[in-house]
Amino acid sequence: MLNFKYYSPTEFVFGKDTEQEVGKLLKKCKAKKVLLHYGSGSVKRSGLLDRVIKSIEAEKIEHVELGGVVPNPRDTLVYEGIELCKTEGVNFILAVGGGSVIDSAKAIAMGVKYKGDFWDLFDDPNKIKGALSVAAVLTIPAAGSEGSNASVITKTEGMLKRVTHSNSIIPAFAIINPELTYTLPSYQTAAGVVDMISHILERYLTKTNDVILTDRLCEATLVSIIEAMRIIQKEPTNYEARATICWSGTIAHNGSLGVGRVEDWASHRLEHELSAMYDVTHGAGLAVIFPAYMRYTLEEDVQRYRRLAVKVFGIKDKKNKAKKVALAGIGAMESFFKELGMPVTFEEIGAKREDIDKLLEKLKINVGEIVGNFKSLTMEDCKNVYELACK
Ligand code: NZQ
Ligand code: ZN
């Protein structure tokens, strides 16, 4: 295990009706005027926004609203949010929604404290000068942004999707009520599940030795996600299964499963170019990329892939057949994605083989010549993974 620092200051408030505590939690955080940030309407339709406002008003905390965040959130609304916060004297941002809303809130929070163009902070995280406090009422378990130090924003001009990191944007608190996820379309539930599985695999696929505790935690979380998701498919309002998925999404990406090891993140880099170019749902893009990436990197550590196949995907171990077992595991994961109605090929998400060179050009601008740590992928390797994902 490598040396590590683990910083996770978020107060997680989990369970039924917990959104009613939002006012009190904001008060505890000394919120005086709050920006309520949300997406394209699901939180209005469900009545959640009204309940949140009621709880905030009960504590006599002022608020202003900014809705309209779209999936793969754009810089344009971030600029609007920064101006609004400055003119209204906002000192706290509450995201009510999913990863896109939380990421937009985080970008606004950093932008308010920065004198120049907030996009600089996505070019160079060293320029981040702190942020307003951010918190979340989560409505979709997926991105894990409610506990992460990351924000992912798309620059509309040129459709550049980029991530930045800072401990200053880790949410102060996150309210997670599994019942709020009952209204999710099954496609979004499934895409969220693929995303959280991917967050675990980005950590699981490592060259660091002697990380057996986190290996086992990763495997246990993956098994729990698969079991719970199969229940939700039959019974979308099964509270316990929804609760398992919700908490899995958070621990998949709050850093706890990645301590003491070098993480990979190549598949996420490759996917972000797909969601930037085709505006595809992040989890759906990952369902296409991850199996291809795994087949491509199999030889990096056949034994690790074998272990994953046996411990998580229920493949029977066979002596001296490690590669066969490992490949069967990857196949089982891909079948699970299909079972959830997720796409697994370029074609299914409207991506085109002819665009691969353009994807690589943008990837190079965003991350440079080498991508990932499990295998240091050159641009040629990345091209091969994209080609494999075409099938
Ligand atoms: O906009 P509304 O109307 O709210 O609808 C949303 C949106 O259309 C809908 N939705 C959310 N909760 C709902 C609901 N519909 C009905 N009932 C509910 N309870 O679902 C759609 C997707 O929402 P979104 O926030 O985009 O989903 P997700 O949480 O998957 O976030 C995806 C974004 O997060 C980024 C992705 O790249 C993508 O931009 N990521 C952020 C990370 C981070 N900050 O740490 C890490 C991830 O790897 C990821 O890259
Ligand atoms: Zn992700």
Side-chain angles (χ1 to χ4, degrees):
M1 200 191 290
L2 305 174
N3 289 1
F4 67 85
K5 284 183 183 167
Y6 179 57
Y7 180 66
S8 180
T10 308
E11 179 174 358
F12 294 102
V13 181
F14 191 98
K16 293 179 185 179
D17 301 326
T18 43
E19 65 275 16
Q20 288 170 14
E21 295 178 40
V22 68
K24 288 200 163 50
L25 287 161
L26 285 167
K27 190 153 202 179
K28 198 165 89 177
C29 292
K30 302 194 171 26
K32 299 234 169 336
K33 190 160 191 179
V34 174
L35 174 69
L36 275 182
H37 202 34
Y38 52 90
S40 306
S42 74
V43 299
K44 282 195 165 175
R45 287 193 296 278
S46 66
L48 173 63
L49 194 67
D50 284 344
R51 295 204 294 285
V52 166
I53 290 172
K54 206 171 151 201
S55 173
I56 292 176
E57 287 179 345
E59 298 301 324
K60 306 211 171 356
I61 297 167
E62 287 184 82
H63 72 271
V64 284
E65 287 183 30
L66 181 64
V69 180
V70 292
N72 300 318
R74 306 297 200 273
D75 60 341
T76 39
L77 196 69
V78 173
Y79 289 115
E80 211 181 300
I82 293 169
E83 277 321 300
L84 186 63
C85 286
K86 285 181 177 167
T87 49
E88 293 284 341
V90 163
N91 80 331
F92 200 103
I93 307 182
L94 182 69
V96 187
S100 296
V101 177
I102 304 170
D103 285 2
S104 182
K106 288 172 169 178
I108 295 169
M110 289 185 284
V112 171
K113 296 275 180 179
Y114 182 68
K115 287 213 166 63
D117 180 346
F118 93 90
W119 189 251
D120 297 348
L121 312 174
F122 285 72
D123 270 335
D124 179 5
N126 293 317
K127 291 187 174 163
I128 297 170
K129 301 275 180 274
L132 292 183
S133 295
V134 174
V137 179
L138 188 70
T139 61
I140 169 172
S145 187
E146 68 279 8
S148 85
N149 65 353
S151 166
V152 186
I153 298 293
T154 298
K155 190 180 176 70
T156 314
E157 197 191 324
M159 289 301 274
L160 276 183
K161 185 170 183 174
R162 203 166 278 175
V163 59
T164 197
H165 297 93
S166 167
N167 281 348
S168 67
I169 53 173
I170 301 177
F173 65 83
I175 292 176
I176 307 172
N177 174 357
E179 288 182 321
L180 299 178
T181 67
Y182 292 171
T183 51
L184 276 168
S186 57
Y187 189 85
Q188 289 298 340
T189 302
V193 158
V194 175
D195 195 16
M196 62 185 79
I197 288 175
S198 305
H199 293 160
I200 299 169
L201 292 176
E202 296 280 17
R203 295 173 164 98
Y204 191 81
L205 296 174
T206 185
K207 289 283 175 72
T208 312
N209 293 320
D210 300 320
V211 281
I212 193 67
L213 170 63
T214 38
D215 275 350
R216 285 184 173 136
L217 289 171
C218 286
E219 288 155 5
T221 313
L222 288 167
V223 170
S224 307
I225 291 170
I226 293 167
E227 280 176 11
M229 192 50 195
R230 288 198 164 124
I231 295 171
I232 289 171
Q233 275 184 292
K234 290 199 205 105
E235 218 188 308
T237 57
N238 183 303
Y239 180 81
E240 298 306 332
R242 288 282 185 184
T244 298
I245 292 293
C246 280
W247 190 240
S248 299
T250 299
I251 61 170
H253 200 41
N254 76 345
S256 55
L257 302 183
V259 294
R261 59 171 70 209
V262 176
E263 303 179 1
D264 184 36
W265 296 102
S267 300
H268 264 71
R269 299 301 194 175
L270 292 171
E271 192 292 320
H272 279 172
E273 299 313 326
L274 290 181
S275 38
M277 191 174 292
Y278 306 106
D279 203 12
V280 54
T281 303
H282 173 59
L286 286 166
V288 173
I289 290 294
F290 236 108
Y293 170 83
M294 289 165 90
R295 289 191 177 103
Y296 192 72
T297 58
L298 180 66
E299 297 291 347
E300 290 301 304
D301 191 343
V302 175
Q303 291 304 335
R304 179 159 281 275
Y305 276 117
R306 181 190 128 259
R307 189 184 157 101
L308 179 73
V310 174
K311 301 275 178 198
V312 175
F313 293 104
I315 307 299
K316 200 167 176 315
D317 209 0
K318 288 192 189 115
K319 253 195 173 168
N320 307 321
K321 295 262 190 292
K323 198 165 162 184
K324 210 170 161 190
V325 172
L327 275 170
I330 298 169
M333 186 184 83
E334 194 174 49
S335 299
F336 178 62
F337 292 169
K338 284 189 203 166
E339 186 186 317
L340 301 185
M342 283 286 101
V344 292
T345 65
F346 252 45
E347 201 185 354
E348 288 171 274
I349 53 167
K352 298 190 190 77
R353 193 185 283 268
E354 309 86 85
D355 289 341
I356 290 180
D357 285 341
K358 273 190 257 164
L359 289 166
L360 293 168
E361 254 171 57
K362 289 173 79 181
L363 181 67
K364 210 159 123 180
I365 296 171
N366 274 334
V367 285
E369 294 284 346
I370 299 293
V371 183
N373 297 308
F374 182 56
K375 177 179 173 66
S376 298
L377 298 179
T378 62
M379 285 300 125
E380 192 57 35
D381 289 319
C382 294
K383 185 174 184 159
N384 293 337
V385 176
Y386 280 139
E387 296 270 359
L388 263 182
C390 292
K391 302 280 184 335

